[in-house]
Amino acid sequence: MSAPAILLCTVMLLVPLVLTFVLSFNAYDAETGPKAGTFTLEHYAAVLTDPYYYGIFWRTLWISGLVTLICIVVGAPEAYILNRMRKPWRSIMLLVVLAPLMISVVVRAFGWSMLLGPEGLINGTLVALGFAKVKLLYTETAIVIALVHVMLPFMVIPVWTSLQKLDGGVANAALSLGASPITVLRRIVLPQIMPGILSGSLIVFGLSASSFAIPGLLGGRRLKMMATIIYDEYLHELNWPLGAAIALLLLVANLVIMLGWNRMIERRYKKALG
């Protein structure tokens, strides 16, 4: 029964990944393009020895980490409030949380560019209040704000799903025995929702690190992240092997960070339950 799913995954994921891996080792000539059948490590050497790429890698990873942290701080309480709501307010709030997913990322990015621009609503409000304009568009701040807006539902839903499995009687019993609400949240609720926080953080970090539309539209041409660099190498420079090498290095970095984060959270989760 699983054969069709395995076949689909192989065709749609593994085959392109293998082809990208092979392409990353092909030599490149500016006049003739990639040379199939050749083998070279120059693309990986160019990326791993150039401080320019180090800076872009670092910017991509720290922005993704910051977005993930903000989504945890905002999304976990939001999911808890959502879980405590009664019908029909719960359904209305859930619709509000999921509403951004119904709009194209490009449309949302353009919306944020209008809000954060020099003549946008935010700067207009600051001027009306007597403050000077601030530069928000084409900055890392703009990228973080827009990514949090886009990624927040991917944190709220897993945490809310974990809360659905939580037995409310346990928390009530702890309160009846004299535990404070803070202690109940820290000792009972938080350990139970750690799987949801882990799932949400992995999704948010992975999607943020590979995001293209928001960094491309709100970061501009000078403030680059890894996805925009890969795009430039593929479509502007036509250096497909170098773009493939950068994409694979980004994939490896993501996997190392996400697997390390997964192991750390799971260890703390087991310790809290044990």
mmCIF file of all heavy atoms in Angstrom, residues 235-254:
data_model
loop_
_atom_site.group_PDB
_atom_site.id
_atom_site.type_symbol
_atom_site.label_atom_id
_atom_site.label_comp_id
_atom_site.label_asym_id
_atom_site.label_seq_id
_atom_site.Cartn_x
_atom_site.Cartn_y
_atom_site.Cartn_z
ATOM 1 N N LEU A 235 19.700 31.739 -12.373
ATOM 2 C CA LEU A 235 18.973 32.472 -13.411
ATOM 3 C C LEU A 235 19.681 33.720 -13.923
ATOM 4 O O LEU A 235 19.406 34.159 -15.045
ATOM 5 C CB LEU A 235 17.581 32.852 -12.890
ATOM 6 C CG LEU A 235 16.666 31.670 -12.564
ATOM 7 C CD1 LEU A 235 15.313 32.168 -12.113
ATOM 8 C CD2 LEU A 235 16.512 30.757 -13.772
ATOM 9 N N HIS A 236 20.567 34.314 -13.130
ATOM 10 C CA HIS A 236 21.274 35.505 -13.587
ATOM 11 C C HIS A 236 22.663 35.166 -14.118
ATOM 12 O O HIS A 236 23.021 35.544 -15.231
ATOM 13 C CB HIS A 236 21.376 36.530 -12.449
ATOM 14 C CG HIS A 236 20.062 37.166 -12.117
ATOM 15 N ND1 HIS A 236 19.904 38.051 -11.073
ATOM 16 C CD2 HIS A 236 18.842 37.052 -12.687
ATOM 17 C CE1 HIS A 236 18.633 38.457 -11.024
ATOM 18 N NE2 HIS A 236 17.977 37.850 -11.978
ATOM 19 N N GLU A 237 23.440 34.466 -13.292
ATOM 20 C CA GLU A 237 24.794 34.099 -13.704
ATOM 21 C C GLU A 237 24.819 32.846 -14.572
ATOM 22 O O GLU A 237 25.809 32.593 -15.259
ATOM 23 C CB GLU A 237 25.675 33.885 -12.461
ATOM 24 C CG GLU A 237 25.740 35.061 -11.508
ATOM 25 C CD GLU A 237 26.365 36.278 -12.141
ATOM 26 O OE1 GLU A 237 27.212 36.103 -13.038
ATOM 27 O OE2 GLU A 237 26.019 37.406 -11.741
ATOM 28 N N LEU A 238 23.751 32.059 -14.516
ATOM 29 C CA LEU A 238 23.649 30.785 -15.241
ATOM 30 C C LEU A 238 24.735 29.795 -14.834
ATOM 31 O O LEU A 238 25.066 28.871 -15.587
ATOM 32 C CB LEU A 238 23.694 31.015 -16.755
ATOM 33 C CG LEU A 238 22.575 31.895 -17.334
ATOM 34 C CD1 LEU A 238 22.740 32.035 -18.838
ATOM 35 C CD2 LEU A 238 21.207 31.322 -16.985
ATOM 36 N N ASN A 239 25.277 29.995 -13.633
ATOM 37 C CA ASN A 239 26.281 29.074 -13.094
ATOM 38 C C ASN A 239 25.555 28.028 -12.261
ATOM 39 O O ASN A 239 25.545 28.076 -11.029
ATOM 40 C CB ASN A 239 27.307 29.838 -12.249
ATOM 41 C CG ASN A 239 28.513 28.989 -11.898
ATOM 42 O OD1 ASN A 239 28.494 27.754 -12.016
ATOM 43 N ND2 ASN A 239 29.583 29.641 -11.487
ATOM 44 N N TRP A 240 24.936 27.082 -12.930
ATOM 45 C CA TRP A 240 24.139 26.076 -12.255
ATOM 46 C C TRP A 240 24.945 25.220 -11.270
ATOM 47 O O TRP A 240 24.455 24.923 -10.183
ATOM 48 C CB TRP A 240 23.440 25.181 -13.278
ATOM 49 C CG TRP A 240 22.452 25.912 -14.139
ATOM 50 C CD1 TRP A 240 22.121 27.232 -14.072
ATOM 51 C CD2 TRP A 240 21.662 25.366 -15.191
ATOM 52 N NE1 TRP A 240 21.186 27.554 -15.013
ATOM 53 C CE2 TRP A 240 20.878 26.426 -15.717
ATOM 54 C CE3 TRP A 240 21.532 24.099 -15.748
ATOM 55 C CZ2 TRP A 240 19.992 26.237 -16.767
ATOM 56 C CZ3 TRP A 240 20.647 23.906 -16.794
ATOM 57 C CH2 TRP A 240 19.886 24.960 -17.300
ATOM 58 N N PRO A 241 26.148 24.786 -11.603
ATOM 59 C CA PRO A 241 26.900 23.973 -10.631
ATOM 60 C C PRO A 241 27.169 24.709 -9.324
ATOM 61 O O PRO A 241 27.056 24.117 -8.244
ATOM 62 C CB PRO A 241 28.203 23.659 -11.387
ATOM 63 C CG PRO A 241 27.824 23.714 -12.825
ATOM 64 C CD PRO A 241 26.830 24.828 -12.912
ATOM 65 N N LEU A 242 27.521 26.000 -9.402
ATOM 66 C CA LEU A 242 27.759 26.759 -8.176
ATOM 67 C C LEU A 242 26.461 26.918 -7.391
ATOM 68 O O LEU A 242 26.443 26.789 -6.159
ATOM 69 C CB LEU A 242 28.353 28.125 -8.505
ATOM 70 C CG LEU A 242 28.644 29.039 -7.302
ATOM 71 C CD1 LEU A 242 29.586 28.360 -6.329
ATOM 72 C CD2 LEU A 242 29.222 30.372 -7.764
ATOM 73 N N GLY A 243 25.354 27.196 -8.078
ATOM 74 C CA GLY A 243 24.062 27.287 -7.397
ATOM 75 C C GLY A 243 23.688 25.978 -6.733
ATOM 76 O O GLY A 243 23.157 25.962 -5.609
ATOM 77 N N ALA A 244 23.964 24.852 -7.405
ATOM 78 C CA ALA A 244 23.670 23.541 -6.823
ATOM 79 C C ALA A 244 24.530 23.288 -5.592
ATOM 80 O O ALA A 244 24.051 22.747 -4.585
ATOM 81 C CB ALA A 244 23.892 22.452 -7.868
ATOM 82 N N ALA A 245 25.804 23.685 -5.645
ATOM 83 C CA ALA A 245 26.692 23.501 -4.501
ATOM 84 C C ALA A 245 26.218 24.314 -3.297
ATOM 85 O O ALA A 245 26.197 23.822 -2.158
ATOM 86 C CB ALA A 245 28.121 23.900 -4.880
ATOM 87 N N ILE A 246 25.813 25.563 -3.536
ATOM 88 C CA ILE A 246 25.314 26.401 -2.442
ATOM 89 C C ILE A 246 24.033 25.805 -1.856
ATOM 90 O O ILE A 246 23.846 25.776 -0.634
ATOM 91 C CB ILE A 246 25.069 27.834 -2.937
ATOM 92 C CG1 ILE A 246 26.375 28.470 -3.404
ATOM 93 C CG2 ILE A 246 24.434 28.685 -1.840
ATOM 94 C CD1 ILE A 246 26.198 29.824 -4.056
ATOM 95 N N ALA A 247 23.149 25.315 -2.722
ATOM 96 C CA ALA A 247 21.895 24.717 -2.252
ATOM 97 C C ALA A 247 22.161 23.495 -1.386
ATOM 98 O O ALA A 247 21.511 23.310 -0.335
ATOM 99 C CB ALA A 247 21.022 24.338 -3.453
ATOM 100 N N LEU A 248 23.103 22.668 -1.781
ATOM 101 C CA LEU A 248 23.405 21.465 -1.000
ATOM 102 C C LEU A 248 24.072 21.819 0.327
ATOM 103 O O LEU A 248 23.790 21.195 1.354
ATOM 104 C CB LEU A 248 24.288 20.523 -1.809
ATOM 105 C CG LEU A 248 23.594 19.824 -2.976
ATOM 106 C CD1 LEU A 248 24.591 19.039 -3.807
ATOM 107 C CD2 LEU A 248 22.487 18.893 -2.472
ATOM 108 N N LEU A 249 24.939 22.819 0.319
ATOM 109 C CA LEU A 249 25.553 23.252 1.577
ATOM 110 C C LEU A 249 24.508 23.833 2.526
ATOM 111 O O LEU A 249 24.568 23.605 3.742
ATOM 112 C CB LEU A 249 26.649 24.286 1.291
ATOM 113 C CG LEU A 249 27.920 23.743 0.633
ATOM 114 C CD1 LEU A 249 28.857 24.886 0.270
ATOM 115 C CD2 LEU A 249 28.630 22.759 1.555
ATOM 116 N N LEU A 250 23.546 24.569 1.987
ATOM 117 C CA LEU A 250 22.458 25.079 2.821
ATOM 118 C C LEU A 250 21.633 23.931 3.383
ATOM 119 O O LEU A 250 21.244 23.952 4.562
ATOM 120 C CB LEU A 250 21.570 26.011 1.997
ATOM 121 C CG LEU A 250 20.323 26.559 2.705
ATOM 122 C CD1 LEU A 250 20.703 27.387 3.915
ATOM 123 C CD2 LEU A 250 19.474 27.384 1.735
ATOM 124 N N LEU A 251 21.372 22.913 2.566
ATOM 125 C CA LEU A 251 20.626 21.746 3.031
ATOM 126 C C LEU A 251 21.362 21.040 4.160
ATOM 127 O O LEU A 251 20.760 20.672 5.177
ATOM 128 C CB LEU A 251 20.393 20.791 1.865
ATOM 129 C CG LEU A 251 19.726 19.450 2.205
ATOM 130 C CD1 LEU A 251 18.335 19.669 2.779
ATOM 131 C CD2 LEU A 251 19.672 18.563 0.968
ATOM 132 N N VAL A 252 22.675 20.864 4.005
ATOM 133 C CA VAL A 252 23.467 20.189 5.042
ATOM 134 C C VAL A 252 23.463 21.006 6.329
ATOM 135 O O VAL A 252 23.289 20.459 7.432
ATOM 136 C CB VAL A 252 24.905 19.965 4.539
ATOM 137 C CG1 VAL A 252 25.801 19.472 5.682
ATOM 138 C CG2 VAL A 252 24.915 18.945 3.402
ATOM 139 N N ALA A 253 23.650 22.323 6.219
ATOM 140 C CA ALA A 253 23.641 23.177 7.407
ATOM 141 C C ALA A 253 22.292 23.111 8.114
ATOM 142 O O ALA A 253 22.226 23.028 9.354
ATOM 143 C CB ALA A 253 23.968 24.623 7.014
ATOM 144 N N ASN A 254 21.214 23.143 7.349
ATOM 145 C CA ASN A 254 19.879 23.031 7.938
ATOM 146 C C ASN A 254 19.704 21.710 8.669
ATOM 147 O O ASN A 254 19.164 21.657 9.786
ATOM 148 C CB ASN A 254 18.814 23.161 6.851
ATOM 149 C CG ASN A 254 18.446 24.603 6.560
ATOM 150 O OD1 ASN A 254 18.768 25.493 7.332
ATOM 151 N ND2 ASN A 254 17.799 24.837 5.442
#
